Amino acid sequence: MAAATSLTTPKLSSPTLQSLYRNFPIAIPFYSSFLFLPKTLSSIPPRRLSLSPSHLHRRLFTVRSDSDNGAEPARRYDFDLFTIGAGSGGVRASRFAANFGASVAICELPFSTISSETTGGVGGTCVLRGCVPKKLLVYSSKYSHEFEESNGFGWKYEIEPKHDWSTLMANKNAELQRLTGIYKNILKNANVTLIEGRGKIVDPHTVDVDGKIYSARHILISVGGRPFIPEIPGSEYAIDSDAALDLPSKPEKIAIVGGGYIALEFAGIFNGLKSEVHVFIRQKKVLRGFDEEIRDFVAEQMSLRGIEFHTEEPPQAIIKAADGSLSLKTNKGTVEGFSHIMFATGRRPNTTNLGLETVGVKMDKNGAIEVDEYSRTSVPSIWAVGDVTDRVNLTPVALMEGGALAKSLFLNEPTKPDYRAIPSAVFSQPPIGQVGLTEEQAIKAYGDIDIFTADFRPLKATLSGLPDRVFMKLIVCAKTDKVLGLHMCGEDAPEIVQGFAVAVKAGLKKADFDATVGIHPTAAEELVTMRTPTRKVRADLRSEGTTDHEVKATAGV
Amino acid sequence: MARKMLIDGELNQSNEQESHYDFDLFVIGAGSGGVRASRFSANYGAKVAICELPFHPISSEVVGGVGGTCVLRGCVPKKILVYGASFGGDIEDARNYGWEINEKVEFNWKKLLQKKTDEITRLNGIYKRLLSNAGVKLLEGEGKVVGPNEVEVTQLDGTKLSYSAKHILISTGNRAQRPNIPGQELAITSDEALSLEDMPKRAVVLGGGYIAVEFASIWRGMGATVDLVFRKELPLRGFDDEMRAVVARNLEGRGINLHPRTTLTQLIKTEDGIKVSTDHGEEFLADVVLFATGRAPYTKRLNLETAGVELDSTGAIKVDEYSRTNIPSIWAVGDVTNRMNLTPVALMEGTCFAKTVFGGQPCKPDYRDVPSAVFSIPPLSVVGLSEEQAIEQAKNDILVFTSTFNPMKNTISGRQEKTVMKLVVDAETDKVLGASMCGPDAPEIIQGIAVALKCGATKAQLDSTVGIHPSTAEEFVTMRSLTRRITAGSKPKTNL
């Protein structure tokens, strides 16, 4: 599926597919595939012969790419590909495989907003319990900030706008239902057989779905990950992100444990909806792994919006009081009076009870499936993509892995996903967008780097009077002038960074950025008008830098 | 101060000859281009003076202000009003997201206008400080060219001062034009529109350019009834036709009444407002009629004819690729040259001028792939060629990729407004020739795409970039299916 944004439109289900058909015209006569590859026949279930010639035409690649299996005696399978888990990676791989001519089945648990051993839903984490509902809640919660801003622009509300949680939940759930329906349609239109139930691997070519047995030449595992809550006393009172996206009522006062992107996103959501929000993190700073300056900046901006951060304060126990309220006991004391305590303490691959141990699929110590560069597991006919492999856990990466796998298996184009310069976003408020290396990574890898930063008050904030700022950073290789990393925290950061990600991925230089004319007045133009390095980092000596602040204050003129 | 002059022959000149000028550079007009050129020239070691009329939000022959059109009467105040107007749509959208908003939401135009004026006054001050920090001497008054190396500044009190300068730079920008129809004096231009006493309840906007659609969006967002009258079939002539149609649809969707193929014939003052008549026999009453019918270079009062500086038929100063006029010591940058009338382009021209004349690095502004934006609500942003331009210039087949979708935010807000994105690609080289988008955040999204385009990015490079999910921008890197292919040698279709 392309982005879920586009999924929300009919264009995806129809024009995309239409064009796919257009792309595979019925050009080669039906019988030619017999001539080229008689072996094909033995591997096609007889019923497939009645299908369109274009299917057969595509199938010839199926077999070619199957050289490993070509050695074994021809065997008939119910399907060329059986996918377990209909999330982003699984649906993409299945659809593409089917478009390339494979016969494909996919199994998925019944729909529910909360995932469990028995519930899931077509669409997976991204659509049902991640990116999409999260972003919808971010949209909703952002309005309170917008109302505040609007006061500075002359708007006045006779009564302060109040938020009704149940309206939001109802509209959000209606949208999720619609999306899961669209996903099902997409599968159907691509001729992928959808089987509802829990898939379990029986042997390298066999999957059991609630007692029914299916054979497949290839099995793909794309069951994703699940929120993980550490065992501490009272952890049964905690909620995870699944539950937080579908609460019956809005938290009055919530503790969020964790400093990763999920924690920050929910902190922003509940803060925007006027809950009292406390974030408890084990480390000194939020967002481990991100650029240090971004980590500092986002925490400061979020604090200014009213979120209270408790740093170096890991939780030890949750205590439920007689009135039903919750207390969080930490190494530093106890904070009382929470209506909710949410753990955003990481996610784990969802590999239990899949039969993996029995067939010998290797996993790492976290339960992630180990795969090679083509997403192949230790069992040659079993493959895995997406969060279950714990590589880079992002929807577009799962899509890339799924697309690459379908190409490798059924298009005779062995394709490795490319993990260089993957951009990503945190939908905190303000949000973060980034691509490429952090300053710390760049120093390690390249030694001599130039850092360009801008930290400015955007035009909107000068009018609204709010303390909102924007931070941007370019990390440039001193020797080659290549832009190694780009980081931004501030309004529209994710939208802004996408285009720059193309530039970073293409290996463009700082001089190329400078040669680009700005779009005025935007925030993004700052990234092409950073003239003076803030500092130069040299392996042999730490040199100083100048700042450009006065210039930034004047919209770059 | 080590000063380098690389203009022909000057290196041979002796220091005495150099020093008989009051200034190395005298700049007339302290807008984006002029301020940039002055500052950078001063940074290269030149002795620089700049003159500008006294500050006023509305420009005239006697008032202007440091900062120029962009800061005082263009980009900045316009964007402030667009922000203000966008909240109107946001408030509507918030309801389905669970926000209970009392019907009584008030918008206070006077408050916004005051804050806008405060902000541009602040920026005017910052600009002055920028100049003084760079060591540029600021003179208040009207500058005129007297000779190839001589400028006369008429001060507020009428006294005239004369200065000599080795180089003169003209950066006086342009001014709104008015069509000559009966009652035209009843209408306003964008200058006044940015400083109206009262918010119009009924506005008629004449023109189909970006200024027209921006003001139509501003007033509509604030709740006014808006009629947009333009000569062509679609607004925004010069932009990609398909995108123009999208903008037209979106303006209509936001409640603006469009009157294509129409012009105004007369304005009459009545008790109920201005009676506006069109050439189709329609009549409407308006509180405000805005003429957004183009801008003309501001060269009239500069005495250029006497000085022998050549102008084109529109009054624009003719310059070579280095921004030099036919008089070797006189240069011009920005809108007064009517090349590409955008602030960042004036900045680029100003920078190149300073580099060429005082930096010892002859430097031509590069007009390829200059991105731009129209801050309509929702906005349009483009970089590179439109489909029509691509077809016209094509040696190879052209591939067009489009994506029309309902942005995620609308799924809950219920707003019926499609976002449209478009890529125009050379089928042979795979180079992306043009990118455009109409939808929320388009200008912010296009900036990064512009870097890629400027550097000759291929469609394959866009495709190989991983998306940021969920964003609107990710559509630009996930446009897999071809919308249409246009064979080389085709004629672009119409003139809408």
Side-chain angles (χ1 to χ4, degrees):
Chain A
M1 303 347 12
T5 38
S6 33
L7 253 191
T8 55
T9 100
K11 84 143 187 154
L12 241 196
S13 37
S14 46
T16 304
L17 292 166
Q18 271 170 20
S19 54
L20 279 166
Y21 288 131
R22 264 207 308 277
N23 288 345
F24 305 129
I26 301 170
I28 298 180
F30 176 55
Y31 44 81
S32 62
S33 37
F34 291 72
L35 296 177
F36 291 149
L37 278 173
K39 208 172 59 179
T40 312
L41 274 180
S42 58
S43 62
I44 304 171
R47 61 184 171 83
R48 306 286 298 177
L49 286 174
S50 60
L51 281 179
S52 76
S54 60
H55 258 113
L56 282 178
H57 161 46
R58 281 293 141 189
R59 263 174 156 288
L60 97 214
F61 296 106
T62 308
V63 175
R64 271 197 207 148
S65 65
D66 249 353
S67 45
D68 293 343
N69 291 356
E72 54 186 69
R75 177 183 159 184
R76 253 196 229 166
Y77 298 105
D78 296 331
F79 297 99
D80 296 324
L81 175 68
F82 196 103
T83 304
I84 304 177
S88 305
V91 171
R92 169 63 65 94
S94 302
R95 232 182 93 207
F96 276 31
N99 283 330
F100 298 151
S103 71
V104 183
I106 190 166
C107 72
E108 176 57 66
L109 296 168
F111 172 82
S112 167
T113 52
I114 313 257
S115 67
S116 72
E117 283 293 295
T118 54
T119 54
V122 173
T125 304
C126 168
V127 178
L128 306 177
R129 283 172 294 277
C131 320
V132 174
K134 168 265 299 276
K135 185 96 191 261
L136 293 174
L137 265 56
V138 168
Y139 279 131
S140 181
S141 59
K142 251 180 76 180
Y143 283 111
S144 62
H145 191 71
E146 282 162 29
F147 297 141
E148 267 186 74
E149 288 177 320
S150 73
N151 288 326
F153 284 85
W155 294 86
K156 218 174 103 192
Y157 308 88
E158 196 184 49
I159 303 165
E160 268 305 289
K162 255 183 47 200
H163 190 261
D164 179 55
W165 177 261
S166 56
T167 303
L168 173 63
M169 285 300 109
N171 288 346
K172 183 233 7 164
N173 285 337
E175 175 60 14
L176 298 191
Q177 289 283 3
R178 193 181 74 88
L179 288 177
T180 194
I182 288 181
Y183 268 79
K184 283 184 180 171
N185 269 330
I186 286 175
L187 288 170
K188 197 172 137 200
N189 291 341
N191 282 321
V192 174
T193 307
L194 173 63
I195 300 162
E196 198 169 79
R198 193 169 210 295
K200 201 171 167 175
I201 298 174
V202 180
D203 70 40
H205 293 282
T206 310
V207 177
D208 171 319
V209 184
D210 298 338
K212 277 200 81 175
I213 299 291
Y214 301 91
S215 67
R217 175 175 304 123
H218 299 288
I219 295 170
L220 171 63
I221 306 165
S222 48
V223 292
R226 290 258 190 89
F228 166 77
I229 297 184
E231 284 291 328
I232 58 165
S235 62
E236 67 272 20
Y237 300 121
I239 58 168
D240 60 19
S241 59
D242 283 12
L245 286 166
D246 202 32
L247 290 174
S249 64
K250 190 191 80 179
E252 284 310 311
K253 181 177 174 183
I254 185 168
I256 298 176
V257 178
Y261 80 96
I262 298 175
L264 295 200
E265 290 177 343
F266 278 91
I269 287 169
F270 290 120
N271 183 58
L273 296 175
K274 304 291 169 81
S275 304
E276 187 184 333
V277 179
H278 295 253
V279 177
F280 293 82
I281 60 173
R282 186 183 295 275
Q283 316 252 333
K284 267 205 179 76
K285 289 185 187 184
V286 298
L287 288 180
R288 190 152 57 95
F290 283 68
D291 188 90
E292 292 296 325
E293 281 182 284
I294 290 282
R295 298 174 72 183
D296 292 333
F297 185 87
V298 72
E300 188 192 314
Q301 284 284 306
M302 292 179 74
S303 302
L304 284 171
R305 293 195 189 191
I307 293 164
E308 195 171 321
F309 285 96
H310 303 257
T311 56
E312 296 180 278
E313 199 170 342
Q316 293 175 339
I318 298 172
I319 304 119
K320 190 167 190 167
D323 65 356
S325 74
L326 301 171
S327 303
L328 189 67
K329 184 174 174 295
T330 71
N331 57 331
K332 291 185 182 169
T334 300
V335 188
E336 295 176 341
F338 292 110
S339 62
H340 296 77
I341 294 177
M342 172 184 170
F343 273 64
T345 39
R347 297 175 61 87
R348 293 285 145 89
N350 209 357
T351 43
T352 49
N353 203 18
L354 267 177
L356 296 177
E357 298 82 355
T358 349
V359 286
V361 171
K362 275 196 198 140
M363 289 177 271
D364 72 10
K365 59 182 189 313
N366 292 323
I369 295 177
E370 287 181 5
V371 289
D372 69 8
E373 288 175 303
Y374 296 94
S375 301
R376 189 173 221 153
T377 71
S378 53
V379 178
S381 61
I382 302 182
W383 311 73
V385 297
D387 293 0
V388 77
T389 61
D390 199 20
R391 284 175 280 183
V392 178
N393 298 335
L394 295 168
T395 294
V397 171
L399 297 178
M400 172 171 70
E401 291 167 354
L405 178 67
K407 272 191 189 166
S408 297
L409 289 183
F410 302 109
L411 205 53
N412 196 27
E413 285 176 25
T415 306
K416 297 179 195 174
D418 178 357
Y419 295 91
R420 282 174 309 125
I422 293 170
S424 66
V426 178
F427 289 92
S428 47
Q429 298 177 39
I432 296 166
Q434 59 161 22
V435 59
L437 305 183
T438 65
E439 180 173 342
E440 297 69 33
Q441 290 168 336
I443 291 172
K444 232 182 191 170
Y446 294 89
D448 294 356
I449 55 167
D450 293 345
I451 309 287
F452 296 77
T453 60
D455 180 343
F456 62 96
R457 196 169 187 208
L459 180 59
K460 202 174 193 176
T462 59
L463 271 274
S464 71
L466 298 178
D468 299 351
R469 296 188 72 80
V470 174
F471 178 76
M472 290 173 173
K473 180 168 183 175
L474 284 180
I475 298 160
V476 178
C477 179
K479 207 170 131 201
T480 62
D481 197 39
K482 253 196 193 172
V483 177
L484 305 171
L486 185 153
H487 307 263
M488 171 177 175
C489 180
E491 197 175 347
D492 298 329
E495 300 290 355
I496 289 170
V497 167
Q498 181 71 76
F500 288 98
V502 178
V504 172
K505 173 88 189 223
L508 296 187
K509 297 181 171 175
K510 177 64 168 62
D512 297 320
F513 279 53
D514 297 344
T516 305
V517 175
I519 300 180
H520 189 65
T522 60
E525 68 181 316
E526 286 294 331
L527 287 166
V528 298
T529 54
M530 293 173 137
R531 287 192 301 270
T532 322
T534 309
R535 58 184 174 277
K536 296 179 173 186
V537 182
R538 296 293 177 266
D540 40 1
L541 68 154
R542 301 255 137 188
S543 53
E544 82 322 335
T546 56
T547 48
D548 226 5
H549 280 151
E550 177 85 43
V551 179
K552 298 306 174 196
T554 62
V557 171
Chain B
M1 228 171 257
R3 190 156 78 224
K4 275 188 255 165
M5 303 263 188
L6 270 215
I7 298 310
D8 305 337
E10 282 178 347
L11 283 177
N12 303 326
Q13 287 182 344
S14 72
N15 277 334
E16 296 114 75
Q17 265 174 309
E18 237 177 73
S19 60
H20 77 262
Y21 294 114
D22 297 328
F23 295 102
D24 296 319
L25 173 66
F26 196 102
V27 179
I28 304 178
S32 305
V35 171
R36 169 63 68 93
S38 306
R39 270 179 62 214
F40 278 31
S41 296
N43 285 339
Y44 285 124
K47 188 177 174 196
V48 183
I50 189 167
C51 74
E52 176 58 65
L53 297 168
F55 170 73
H56 194 278
I58 300 176
S59 67
S60 76
E61 289 175 354
V62 292
V63 289
V66 173
T69 305
C70 167
V71 177
L72 308 178
R73 285 172 295 276
C75 319
V76 173
K78 169 269 297 280
K79 184 95 191 264
I80 288 173
L81 296 191
V82 169
Y83 277 134
S86 300
F87 291 114
D90 291 344
I91 291 165
E92 290 169 19
D93 290 348
R95 293 200 163 92
N96 277 339
Y97 276 100
W99 289 95
E100 291 162 0
I101 301 162
N102 189 286
E103 285 304 322
K104 279 211 160 166
V105 181
E106 278 170 32
F107 171 66
N108 185 335
W109 169 265
K110 282 196 165 64
K111 180 176 173 188
L112 179 56
L113 258 277
Q114 185 53 52
K115 296 192 76 166
K116 183 252 357 174
T117 304
D118 291 349
E119 174 62 9
I120 65 172
T121 308
R122 187 180 77 87
L123 290 174
N124 174 257
I126 288 183
Y127 269 75
K128 285 185 176 170
R129 217 171 39 245
L130 269 181
L131 288 170
S132 70
N133 287 349
V136 175
K137 186 168 174 58
L138 172 64
L139 303 160
E140 204 167 69
E142 187 184 8
K144 277 188 172 54
V145 178
V146 178
N149 297 97
E150 195 155 354
V151 174
E152 181 185 271
V153 178
T154 310
Q155 291 179 297
L156 272 183
D157 59 7
T159 40
K160 291 183 196 308
L161 299 170
S162 259
Y163 298 96
S164 63
K166 177 170 287 174
H167 299 281
I168 297 170
L169 175 68
I170 302 167
S171 48
T172 49
N174 60 13
R175 294 284 169 82
Q177 266 182 318
R178 292 162 162 276
N180 197 11
I181 60 166
Q184 59 93 4
E185 69 284 354
L186 298 172
I188 59 170
T189 68
S190 57
D191 278 15
E192 294 85 22
L194 289 165
S195 293
L196 284 178
E197 281 289 308
D198 296 299
M199 152 87 190
K201 294 238 157 18
R202 303 160 299 178
V204 173
V205 179
L206 174 64
Y210 77 97
I211 298 173
V213 299
E214 288 176 347
F215 277 96
S217 290
I218 287 168
W219 286 325
R220 181 62 204 134
M222 293 168 179
T225 306
V226 179
D227 288 274
L228 180 63
V229 176
F230 49 97
R231 210 187 291 269
K232 295 284 177 176
E233 182 69 36
L234 291 169
L236 296 177
R237 190 157 58 98
F239 286 86
D240 186 286
D241 284 346
E242 193 174 16
M243 301 310 285
R244 293 168 68 193
V246 174
V247 171
R249 199 160 60 231
N250 288 344
L251 293 178
E252 250 176 341
R254 295 268 176 162
I256 295 166
N257 307 314
L258 302 189
H259 304 270
R261 297 180 309 273
T262 306
T263 190
L264 301 186
T265 51
Q266 80 173 351
L267 311 178
I268 298 170
K269 193 171 186 176
T270 74
E271 267 184 17
D272 308 319
I274 304 166
K275 194 172 86 180
V276 181
S277 311
T278 74
D279 58 347
H280 290 183
E282 295 159 291
E283 285 184 352
F284 9 78
L285 282 170
D287 306 310
V288 157
V289 179
L290 170 68
F291 287 161
T293 43
R295 298 177 64 87
Y298 191 63
T299 47
K300 272 198 309 254
R301 295 169 57 91
L302 284 167
N303 197 37
L304 293 176
E305 297 80 355
T306 329
V309 175
E310 275 178 29
L311 307 180
D312 73 9
S313 59
T314 65
I317 297 177
K318 285 193 193 171
V319 289
D320 68 9
E321 287 175 301
Y322 295 97
S323 300
R324 193 174 215 156
T325 71
N326 61 309
I327 309 281
S329 60
I330 302 183
W331 311 70
V333 297
D335 294 358
V336 77
T337 62
N338 199 24
R339 284 175 282 184
M340 198 178 274
N341 299 337
L342 294 167
T343 293
V345 170
L347 297 178
M348 171 170 70
E349 291 167 356
T351 305
C352 287
F353 162 82
K355 266 194 189 167
T356 302
V357 179
F358 299 107
Q361 313 163 45
C363 166
K364 297 179 196 173
D366 178 358
Y367 297 90
R368 274 179 316 118
D369 295 327
V370 171
S372 67
V374 178
F375 289 91
S376 46
I377 302 175
L380 168 72
S381 191
V382 304
V383 59
L385 305 181
S386 67
E387 183 176 340
E388 293 74 26
Q389 288 168 335
I391 294 169
E392 220 168 74
Q393 301 176 15
K395 291 187 198 74
N396 308 315
D397 288 6
I398 298 293
L399 306 178
V400 177
F401 297 80
T402 57
S403 178
T404 302
F405 58 96
N406 200 24
M408 190 197 277
K409 194 172 185 181
N410 294 0
T411 59
I412 284 193
S413 71
R415 179 172 293 284
Q416 298 295 311
E417 185 175 271
K418 297 273 194 264
T419 287
V420 178
M421 290 179 172
K422 179 166 180 173
L423 291 174
V424 179
V425 177
D426 183 315
E428 206 58 45
T429 63
D430 197 40
K431 250 195 179 172
V432 181
L433 304 173
S436 39
M437 168 178 176
C438 181
D441 302 327
E444 300 289 355
I445 290 169
I446 288 288
Q447 182 71 74
I449 302 286
V451 178
L453 234 80
K454 177 84 183 182
C455 298
T458 59
K459 176 70 166 57
Q461 281 175 314
L462 260 70
D463 295 345
S464 78
T465 305
V466 174
I468 294 183
H469 189 65
S471 68
T472 303
E474 67 181 318
E475 279 294 315
F476 269 126
V477 298
T478 55
M479 290 167 105
R480 284 194 308 273
S481 44
L482 182 67
T483 307
R484 59 184 168 272
R485 182 183 189 111
I486 297 134
T487 328
S490 311
K491 285 256 149 54
K493 25 182 204 299
T494 54
N495 178 26
L496 299 173

